[in-house]
Amino acid sequence: MGCGDNTEGCAGIGHGQCAMVLKVLDVPGINPSSSPNIPPEKPISAQVRFVSVSAGLYHTLAMTDDGLVYSWGRGEGGRLGHGNTDMQRVPKKIEYFEKNRCIAIGAGYHHSLVINAAGSIYAFGTGWSGQLGCGD
């Protein structure tokens, strides 16, 4: 569910306006879309269960019980993990983690962190103050 200021897509409710009440999120390929403006990525084949969510300044991450990671919101600096800087108004699966299942997620101010099942930490987004841990 999402609500609040959605001008940057961070609430994941599919439009650019605020939501004053909770709304079940349309997840392409998972939930039947209640909005004709949100086409499904693929046919609905299975329901998933989200077990973790983390909110950054203008983006959000969510993880499923089988270790898949979804992101949405403002994509500046690559913080959504989709290989671009595009805004994502509804939850979108980060394809890289389909083969690298995850156990933990964290959304920071302008960056994201993911830990996979092997214990590796993935950091993406903007690291102006060294928050990506890359030494630059």
Side-chain angles (χ1 to χ4, degrees), residues 85-129:
T85 59
D86 298 343
M87 181 183 299
Q88 186 62 42
R89 292 196 181 274
V90 295
K92 181 177 179 181
K93 182 172 32 178
I94 301 176
E95 293 180 19
Y96 180 81
F97 296 115
E98 285 184 308
K99 295 180 181 170
N100 296 284
R101 298 302 168 113
C102 300
I103 59 170
I105 56 172
Y109 193 71
H110 289 284
H111 68 291
S112 299
L113 299 164
V114 176
I115 301 174
N116 73 359
S120 297
I121 298 174
Y122 294 84
F124 42 98
T126 303
W128 294 319
S129 301

Side-chain angles (χ1 to χ4, degrees), residues 18-87:
C18 295
M20 302 309 277
V21 296
L22 286 174
K23 178 182 183 301
V24 175
L25 302 183
D26 287 316
V27 182
I30 297 172
N31 295 341
S33 178
S34 60
S35 171
N37 300 328
I38 306 172
E41 289 178 347
K42 57 186 176 184
I44 299 166
S45 59
Q47 295 294 313
V48 299
R49 188 169 72 97
F50 289 98
V51 296
S52 182
V53 65
S54 182
L57 178 63
Y58 290 115
H59 73 296
T60 305
L61 300 177
M63 185 177 66
T64 66
D65 59 351
D66 62 348
L68 296 175
V69 179
Y70 288 75
S71 65
W72 59 94
R74 189 186 262 181
E76 289 176 339
R79 71 184 95 177
L80 298 181
H82 300 296
N84 58 44
T85 59
D86 298 343
M87 181 183 299

